[in-house]
Amino acid sequence: MLNIQDLKFDEKGLIPAVVVDAKSRKVLTVAYMNAESLAISMEKKLTCFWSRSRQELWLKGETSGNYQHIVSITADCDRDALLVLVEKDGPACHLGNDSCFEDVLFQSDERGDFTLEGLYDLLMQRNADRPEGSYTTYLFEKGLDKILKKVGEECTEVIIAGKAEDKKETIYELADLAYHAMVLMVQMGITVEDVRDELASRHIIDHKVKQEKMTS
């Protein structure tokens, strides 16, 4: 492995870790480690990261079962970034994708740009097919209580990122919240149109209330 003392952590005590599939050489995700999480990773031979939003250690796969077994950890020439080769037990992305860089929230294809309706349809299909190893399948199989718990957790992470005034992290966490909220919608049979209609009705009500206040 490597000597932790030789590494250059940033001012927050963190170092970026690029996680790569040892077989396919595909980049799976980019996360952060501190000295403690790196030591745990080296000891357990499993990737352990530091969650910047939750401010806690995060052993990949501890809840999903999608562990990443470490083959090797090497540092770059400046000793301020890590390359982690792994053999994975399942998808690296919490959205059920093989890699975080295949995230449906940030991709376009021949059908056009990303839409909420497109994501909703995909989640509907995942619920119907229940593909093995998918995080989305995991949520639907665990049921409503698990989905609600994840929505609550993502709300907290949005609050933490927003309070820190970290725009990039807040956008990331809002995307996570939107995804889990839409899983809840599929679970409960709520459509995108249902939510759009509710928002439209609120806009009309607010407009009338403002008019009444102005004329009173």
Side-chain angles (χ1 to χ4, degrees):
M1 291 289 185
L2 74 168
N3 188 344
I4 297 178
Q5 304 301 322
D6 292 338
L7 300 176
K8 297 178 183 178
F9 295 89
D10 65 17
E11 66 280 0
K12 295 181 180 179
L14 302 176
I15 189 169
V18 182
V19 182
V20 175
D21 189 304
K23 296 178 180 177
S24 68
R25 300 294 169 168
K26 176 189 290 186
V27 176
L28 300 176
T29 192
V30 177
Y32 287 84
M33 292 181 175
N34 59 15
E36 183 180 5
S37 68
L38 178 54
I40 293 173
S41 298
M42 295 170 66
E43 177 186 355
K44 294 181 177 292
K45 299 295 191 298
L46 296 171
T47 55
C48 180
F49 306 109
W50 176 257
S51 171
R52 293 175 296 168
S53 59
R54 298 190 301 271
Q55 291 293 294
E56 63 182 17
L57 294 171
W58 160 42
L59 182 67
K60 173 64 177 175
E62 193 168 29
T63 56
S64 66
N66 298 325
Y67 292 100
Q68 295 174 342
H69 303 270
I70 296 173
V71 175
S72 67
I73 303 178
T74 55
D76 69 345
C77 57
D78 292 325
R79 315 297 287 177
D80 60 359
L82 300 175
L83 176 64
V84 186
L85 296 183
V86 302
E87 293 180 351
K88 57 188 181 62
D89 288 339
C93 179
H94 69 283
L95 296 184
N97 297 316
D98 190 52
S99 165
C100 289
F101 294 94
E102 295 172 2
D103 193 331
V104 297
L105 294 179
F106 303 103
Q107 281 208 351
S108 302
D109 56 23
E110 65 275 11
R111 295 172 296 178
D113 293 337
F114 167 80
T115 63
L116 291 176
E117 288 81 1
L119 175 58
Y120 186 89
D121 290 343
L122 176 62
L123 294 175
M124 286 282 289
Q125 192 64 46
R126 288 286 175 89
N127 189 28
D129 296 343
R130 302 287 176 94
E132 186 176 354
S134 165
Y135 175 72
T136 306
T137 295
Y138 166 77
L139 289 176
F140 284 128
E141 287 181 345
K142 288 296 183 180
L144 182 60
D145 287 346
K146 181 63 176 180
I147 295 171
L148 291 173
K149 180 180 179 182
K150 289 302 298 181
V151 170
E153 290 175 355
E154 298 303 337
C155 284
T156 300
E157 293 185 4
V158 168
I159 293 170
I160 293 172
K163 183 65 175 177
E165 298 186 2
D166 186 334
K167 183 177 179 180
K168 183 177 180 180
E169 188 71 14
T170 302
I171 292 172
Y172 182 90
E173 297 300 344
L174 282 169
D176 276 354
L177 176 58
Y179 161 77
H180 286 92
M182 292 193 73
V183 171
L184 175 62
M185 288 167 60
V186 171
Q187 176 73 16
M188 296 183 64
I190 300 171
T191 67
V192 175
E193 193 64 30
D194 291 335
V195 177
R196 182 179 288 114
D197 289 346
E198 175 63 22
L199 289 171
S201 68
R202 291 184 183 186
H203 174 73
I204 294 172
I205 292 173
D206 285 348
H207 182 65
K208 289 182 178 178
V209 169
K210 289 179 181 178
Q211 283 185 326
E212 290 173 359
K213 288 183 178 180
M214 290 177 64
T215 56
S216 60

